[in-house]
Amino acid sequence: TAPPIEFRYTTTKRNEGWGITYDTDRNELIVTDGSANLIFWDPNCYNDGECTPKEDKPPIQVKRLNGKPAKKLNEIEYWRGRVVANVWQTDLLLIIHPE
């Protein structure tokens, strides 16, 4: 088997990695880090050995319907143009428009 690929990455919360999914419509990776933020990476960043937020698309803060930040975003999946995220240590799923 091939050895694992090593790479550095930047998110918004001390480089914690929680969830990652691929947006097939926009050809970008969407990443969570345990905060209320969605971070967008170029899918070719692995080739460079370092993944950083896209310069033309800053991280967005996800808010709940009550206007408060949706903290503790965890695993995510891209589905029908939306990001489905669970909230860490809860039974909640959030459906997020990634724009």
Side-chain angles (χ1 to χ4, degrees), residues 79 82-85 93-97:
W79 176 73
R82 302 292 188 260
V83 173
V84 179
L93 288 177
L94 303 178
I95 309 299
I96 305 162
H97 192 287

Side-chain angles (χ1 to χ4, degrees), residues 19-32 38-40 57 60 74-86 93-99:
I20 187 168
T21 191
Y22 177 66
D23 180 337
T24 55
D25 298 329
R26 294 172 192 83
N27 188 35
E28 62 191 4
L29 296 172
I30 303 174
V31 183
T32 62
L38 292 180
I39 300 103
F40 303 91
K57 192 164 187 181
I60 60 168
N74 194 23
E75 287 296 322
I76 59 176
E77 295 293 332
Y78 187 75
W79 176 73
R80 296 185 179 183
R82 302 292 188 260
V83 173
V84 179
N86 80 303
L93 288 177
L94 303 178
I95 309 299
I96 305 162
H97 192 287
E99 295 267 329

Side-chain angles (χ1 to χ4, degrees), residues 48-69:
D48 301 333
E50 184 168 358
C51 292
T52 57
K54 292 175 81 174
E55 290 182 20
D56 62 337
K57 192 164 187 181
I60 60 168
Q61 185 180 65
V62 177
K63 295 190 178 184
R64 294 177 181 255
L65 292 176
N66 64 7
K68 294 183 179 181

